[in-house]
Amino acid sequence: METGSDRTSRRKAEHIRICLEEAVQGRGVSTGLENYRLRHAAFPEMAFSDVRIETVFLGKTVRTPLLISSMTGGTGEAGEVNRRFAEAAEARGWAMGLGSMRAALEKEELAATFRVRREAPTIPILANIGGVQLNCGIGPDDCLRAVEMAEADALVIHMNALQEVFQPGGDTDFRGLYKRVEEVCKRLPVPVGIKEVGWGIDGAAARRLAEAGAAFIDVAGAGGTSWSQVEKFRQADPLLREAAEAFADWGMPTADCLLEIRRKLPDMPLIASGGLRNGVDAAKAIALGGDMAGFGRSLLKEAATGGDVQGRLERVESELRIAMFASGARELRDLRAPGMIRDKRIWESFGEE
C-alpha cells in the first residue's frame, strides 16, 4: 500500500521528468528583464581583471552572488542531482538551495538525498519546507530538524498556493500562515527566508513577511517555469487539466517584483529568481535590487543527465563579469549606481536608441 511519503517521492520524480521533457515555461508572461538594459561604458576606465563578484550572504563570504535555486530531493535520482549541484556549487562558489524536505521528515531514509554538506563544506546551503505544510502538522521543531538534517545555514519556506490547486491531492488551506511563519522565524536559530515558486511576491506581502521576521525574500517571479503547467501533466481531472491553460500567463514578472519590494524594503536581502537564463540576466536583476541571483530549471538538464554542471555555472559567472566590465562596474554595488540601468521602453519612446 502506498504511503504518504511514497506519494511525495513519486511526485518528486515526476516533477524532474516533466521539467526535463515537457513544455512548462510560462506563456504570455516574461521576467520583464528584457525591458531593461545596462548602460554601456565605452570607456570603462578599468581592466577586466578588476571586476569583483564576491559578496556576503547569510553571514558567509561567497565567491559569487549566484544561487542554485531550490529544486529537488526525496528520491534516489533527486539525491544524485543534489550531489552534482553541491559539488559544482562548492567548486564555483555558488550558494545552494535544496528542494522541499517534507519527504525526509516523513521518511528518515530519504534524508540522505538532502545531505550534501560533505560535497559542499563551505558554501551557504538553504533547507526548504512548503509553507502550507505549517497548516498540515509541520511545526517549528520539524523545521529545525530539516535544518539540522541538511546542516543548513538557513531555512526557506516556499509559498505555492496556485500549484497546490492544480496538484493532485494538493493542500490548499493557506489561512493564518503569516502567524505560523512568524512563529518559525522566532523559534529557529538560523535565518528564515520566504520564496515563491514562480509567480512572484509583491511589495505588500514582502512588508508583512518582514514584520513577521523573515530574514530574506526570494521573489521567484514569473517568466520561467510555471508550476500550474507542470501539474497539468500530472492531473487526471480533465477540468483542472484544461483550467491550467488559463493560468499559463499568470504571475508578476521578476523585474517588477524586485523594483516593488526594493522600494518598500530598501534594506531587505533579496534573491532575484524566476526565469533567469544567463549572467546578463543576473547583472540586470542585481541592478534592479537583487542581492543574489537564483537559477533553477535552466541548470537542471546538466545535473540530471550527468553533464558539465561546473562548466554551466562558470559560463554564467563569466557572462556576469563581462556584463559588469562592459558597463564599468568594478563591484556588484556599482550595478546599483543611479543611471546604471535604463528601461528600454522609455528609450524607444523618446527615440534614444
Side-chain angles (χ1 to χ4, degrees):
M1 183 175 180
E2 188 178 55
T3 66
S5 59
D6 291 334
R7 285 191 293 272
T8 301
S9 295
R10 177 164 53 81
R11 183 173 70 247
K12 298 301 181 184
E14 290 173 351
H15 284 164
I16 292 176
R17 181 195 64 77
I18 291 168
C19 284
L20 289 173
E21 298 178 4
E22 305 290 354
V24 295
Q25 184 85 6
R27 299 194 307 274
V29 66
S30 71
T31 65
L33 294 172
E34 74 282 359
N35 293 323
Y36 296 89
R37 288 187 180 172
L38 289 165
R39 184 183 293 276
H40 176 66
F43 295 88
E45 290 293 335
M46 59 187 289
F48 183 57
S49 59
D50 291 336
V51 174
R52 294 287 180 268
I53 63 172
E54 61 270 8
T55 191
V56 176
F57 180 56
L58 301 180
K60 284 190 173 185
T61 299
V62 285
R63 301 204 306 273
T64 77
L66 303 170
L67 165 77
I68 297 175
S69 293
S70 304
M71 275 185 272
T72 194
T75 70
E77 178 189 8
E80 186 57 36
V81 167
N82 278 340
R83 282 186 285 275
R84 290 170 182 158
F85 274 143
E87 289 172 354
E90 177 70 24
R92 300 306 313 173
W94 289 43
M96 179 179 171
L98 297 168
S100 172
M101 298 180 66
R102 174 186 174 186
L105 293 176
E106 294 174 339
K107 195 172 185 179
E108 178 63 30
E109 51 264 44
L110 296 177
T113 68
F114 298 97
R115 290 190 176 118
V116 296
R117 185 53 85 184
R118 184 177 64 179
E119 289 81 8
T122 68
I123 62 169
I125 291 177
L126 312 182
N128 183 351
I129 288 293
V132 73
Q133 298 309 313
L134 301 178
N135 276 346
C136 300
I138 287 180
D141 290 342
D142 300 299
C143 292
L144 179 58
R145 187 154 63 95
V147 169
E148 292 173 342
M149 189 184 297
E151 299 178 63
D153 300 279
L155 175 72
V156 168
I157 298 174
H158 72 263
M159 305 302 293
N160 65 335
L162 189 57
Q163 180 186 2
E164 294 287 347
V165 170
F166 288 103
Q167 181 170 281
D171 299 304
T172 57
D173 184 359
F174 279 72
R175 291 173 294 184
L177 283 182
Y178 280 111
K179 286 186 65 67
R180 295 192 184 277
V181 166
E182 184 176 20
E183 184 181 4
V184 173
C185 291
K186 286 180 178 177
R187 293 273 302 275
L188 260 62
V190 297
V192 177
I194 311 297
K195 78 181 298 290
E196 238 281 345
V197 299
W199 290 293
I201 295 176
D202 68 9
R207 177 171 284 170
R208 288 194 68 184
L209 290 168
E211 292 168 352
F216 60 94
I217 291 173
D218 184 339
V219 304
T225 303
S226 166
W227 282 91
S228 55
Q229 294 299 292
V230 173
E231 298 298 351
K232 175 186 72 176
F233 290 101
R234 301 183 59 244
Q235 183 55 254
D237 183 330
L239 185 151
L240 286 174
R241 190 179 179 97
E242 292 177 17
E245 287 300 305
F247 292 87
D249 66 350
W250 193 265
M252 297 177 58
T254 298
D256 293 355
C257 294
L258 288 168
L259 290 168
E260 188 170 321
I261 296 175
R262 186 52 75 206
R263 280 195 296 267
K264 291 183 179 293
L265 299 171
D267 300 319
M268 171 64 77
L270 292 184
I271 299 172
S273 72
L276 273 63
R277 300 162 299 167
N278 52 52
V280 178
D281 284 347
K284 290 179 182 181
I286 292 168
L288 289 168
D291 297 291
M292 299 283 286
F295 291 77
R297 187 169 58 92
S298 62
L299 306 177
L300 182 59
K301 182 178 179 180
E302 282 86 355
T305 61
D308 185 6
V309 183
Q310 285 193 42
R312 181 76 173 85
L313 303 192
E314 184 177 12
R315 194 184 90 190
V316 173
E317 295 164 39
S318 296
E319 292 162 349
L320 171 59
R321 290 178 185 275
I322 294 167
M324 290 175 64
F325 177 64
S327 55
R330 292 172 183 266
E331 300 178 357
L332 294 168
R333 63 183 178 183
D334 296 333
L335 289 170
R336 301 260 190 92
M340 178 62 79
I341 195 164
R342 298 287 299 277
D343 189 327
K344 174 175 173 281
R345 294 165 295 189
I346 293 175
W347 286 8
E348 290 175 340
S349 67
F350 285 94
E352 294 185 20
E353 292 197 319

